[in-house]
Structure formats: C-alpha cells, structure tokens
Amino acid sequence: MIRLIAMDLDGTLLDDTKRIPAVNRQAIDEARKKGVQIVLCSGRSGKSMDRYVKELDLDHPGEYWIASNGACIYEGDRKDPWNVCYLPDGAVSALVYLGREYGEYVNPHLYVGDQFLVERYLPCTQRYERLSGNQCTCVPSLDPYIHTPMYKMLYNNLGELDQLIWVQKQIENRLPQDVQMFRSSDYLLEFVHKDAGKWNAVLKLASFLSIQKNEILCIGDHENDKEMVQNAYLGATPSNGISMLREAADYVSELDNNQGAVADIFHFAKNQGIF
C-alpha cells in the first residue's frame, strides 16, 4: 500500500496560474486522513514553497517537504532545513564562470540564504520573479558570493528551449566534480550536488519514516522529476509531462496540470488497490 506520495509543484500539482486546483486539494486531504504522508517536492527554494506548505496545512511537526531539487528537506514550519546537501567546494565559482562564457544564452542566478542574486537584470529574471514569487537582488558582480555555501544554482534561459538544450550539451562534460545538472522547466537549467536530487531526498526521508520503496508514489512533469518517477513503486505524470517523463512513468494521466491530474493519479492508484 502507498504510504508516501511525493509530488512536484509547477506543471504538476499547480495549474498555470500557480494555484492548486480544488480537486487536487480535496484528493490530498482525503489521502492525509488515511494516514498517507504527503510530501511536496520541488526545485523551488524553501521560501518560494512556503505559501503552498501553509495552504495544504503541512506546516506542522511530522510533516515534511523537499526544496531546491532535493538539496533541502524541511519539517513543518521550521525555517532551517532538517537535512541539507550543499554544492561541492569550488562548484559555484566554476559554474558562474562557465555561465558567463555562455552569457549570450543564459544568465547565472545564485541563491544566498533567502536571496537570489544576478549580475544582469533581464526579462528572463522578471519572468522568474513572477513565477517563483522570489524577488532578485541585482549586484555588480557575483564574485564576492561564489564561495558561500549554496544548495543549488541555476542558469536562466534568455531565448528558446533549443538554445538551453544546446548549452546543456555543451557543458555536460565540463561540469565540476560531484555536480549533477538537469532542466526543471523550458527555461531553467539547474545544478545540485550529485547526492541531492529529488529521488535521493525522497529515499532519505522515507528511510527516516520507516517507509519502504514499494510504498512510494511519485508524480512529476519535467527532467528533474525523472529519477523519482522512474524509480518509485508507482511513478506518474500529467498529460503535459515531457516525453521522457511519459516514457518513464507507470501511469500517464489523460488530464493536464490545469485539469487536476494529481487527483486523477490518486484515483488510478485507488483503482489499482494500492492506495
């Protein structure tokens, strides 16, 4: 039986207006009444996830949520992560310099505490502010911050998706040691420690809660969700999931994130007799 459900936010639980559809909220409430552990699992920072944690009444001891693509696990309303995984020493500086090399296509963003920092305030930065709910700080240079411990950093795409994919291919053999890279949307290329990642964080939390792999359902829609969708006992994606997610998933909903795909996936699991 499913005892833990980990789900992505953007493109999965949230609709395109960044709200939780009522059918999804109802399905989550019903699952929690049955004792299922609901875990929000996002590439967003902890601060950016806070409104959804509160909306779903997960800001209490014994409730957990995963931020920064698995680099942080929070409990309840704690402001400091319960578990953290920082980028390796030297990785941020190497990625900043590499990002500048491809500055025609991407804009490096750093996370320092609750702030995110940029050297260039561009339209793509405004888009990221609007969608994430985070406000950026524009600084003359990122260099003073490159040795600050960070959970993750990202490149924001200035143009089309194919340009971001091209940059990703160009740098895949130039990554700092122990860093993993993936796209979390059509305009964000993200970097975390190789021991982070959503699936690793889900497994770490499940072990702490004495929950087995065959009791986990994971739901996501993009490249950064692939491992958890592929490796969970039941992995699922909305109809808007990218092709690699649809291929990896055990179940692809006929509904998209605007239509309450999460609720449909819960219903599928019930029909399979595992929830």
Side-chain angles (χ1 to χ4, degrees):
M1 296 293 288
I2 297 299
R3 296 177 56 205
L4 185 153
I5 301 176
M7 67 189 78
D8 174 51
L9 285 177
D10 299 282
T12 303
L13 178 64
L14 307 182
D15 64 22
D16 289 346
T17 68
K18 304 305 176 185
R19 296 185 175 91
I20 302 174
V23 290
N24 286 349
R25 188 181 299 107
Q26 181 179 355
I28 288 171
D29 288 344
E30 291 175 357
R32 292 182 68 201
K33 289 176 182 177
K34 294 181 178 180
V36 176
Q37 190 87 41
I38 298 295
V39 179
L40 301 183
C41 190
S42 178
R44 288 172 177 250
S45 66
K47 181 179 179 181
S48 184
M49 291 180 67
D50 190 56
R51 59 175 283 199
Y52 303 110
V53 171
K54 291 178 179 177
E55 181 176 344
L56 292 173
D57 196 33
L58 298 174
D59 54 339
H60 304 287
E63 304 289 354
Y64 299 87
W65 42 290
I66 296 168
S68 300
N69 280 312
C72 303
I73 305 174
Y74 291 85
E75 180 180 8
D77 62 352
R78 287 178 57 180
K79 300 305 179 185
D80 297 321
W82 169 75
N83 183 271
V84 299
C85 188
Y86 292 104
L87 280 162
D89 290 342
V92 174
S93 59
L95 290 168
V96 166
Y97 298 143
L98 193 57
R100 288 172 179 157
E101 184 177 335
Y102 292 92
E104 180 181 353
Y105 306 104
V106 296
N107 192 25
H109 286 44
L110 299 187
Y111 285 84
V112 178
D114 287 334
Q115 289 185 312
F116 83 89
L117 310 179
V118 293
E119 290 176 334
R120 298 181 294 165
Y121 189 84
L122 303 173
C124 66
T125 309
Q126 293 177 306
R127 175 186 61 198
Y128 184 71
E129 286 181 322
R130 183 176 67 255
L131 296 177
S132 70
N134 283 335
Q135 297 299 307
C136 88
T137 300
C138 192
V139 295
S141 172
L142 295 176
D143 289 350
Y145 307 94
I146 57 178
H147 298 297
T148 304
M150 294 183 199
Y151 310 132
K152 73 166 189 175
M153 69 166 288
L154 60 84
Y155 293 165
N156 201 338
N157 184 15
L158 274 63
E160 302 298 324
L161 173 60
D162 59 351
Q163 294 175 327
L164 188 65
I165 293 173
W166 180 82
V167 171
Q168 185 177 16
K169 290 180 179 178
Q170 294 301 306
I171 68 175
E172 60 186 357
N173 293 321
R174 302 175 63 188
L175 291 177
Q177 187 174 1
D178 294 334
V179 170
Q180 60 171 312
M181 165 183 67
F182 37 69
R183 298 191 311 278
S184 59
S185 74
D186 290 349
Y187 51 87
L188 297 178
L189 185 60
E190 307 209 19
F191 306 91
V192 297
H193 194 285
K194 69 176 181 60
D195 293 333
K198 292 186 178 184
W199 178 238
N200 286 340
V202 168
L203 283 180
K204 186 171 294 186
L205 177 58
S207 176
F208 174 75
L209 297 172
S210 299
I211 293 174
Q212 305 303 311
K213 181 179 175 181
N214 63 0
E215 297 174 312
I216 299 173
L217 162 60
C218 290
I219 312 170
D221 75 302
H222 222 282
E223 187 175 290
N224 59 329
D225 302 308
K226 181 182 178 183
E227 281 198 354
M228 72 172 186
V229 168
Q230 190 171 44
N231 290 302
Y233 178 73
L234 178 63
T237 187
S239 64
N240 56 284
I242 63 173
S243 59
M244 71 166 61
L245 261 292
R246 297 196 300 272
E247 292 169 3
D250 300 299
Y251 176 67
V252 179
S253 175
E254 293 182 356
L255 305 182
D256 66 23
N257 62 303
N258 294 304
Q259 299 168 310
V262 165
D264 176 65
I265 292 165
F266 281 28
H267 182 69
F268 171 80
K270 290 177 185 177
N271 286 343
Q272 298 300 303
I274 58 173
F275 173 40

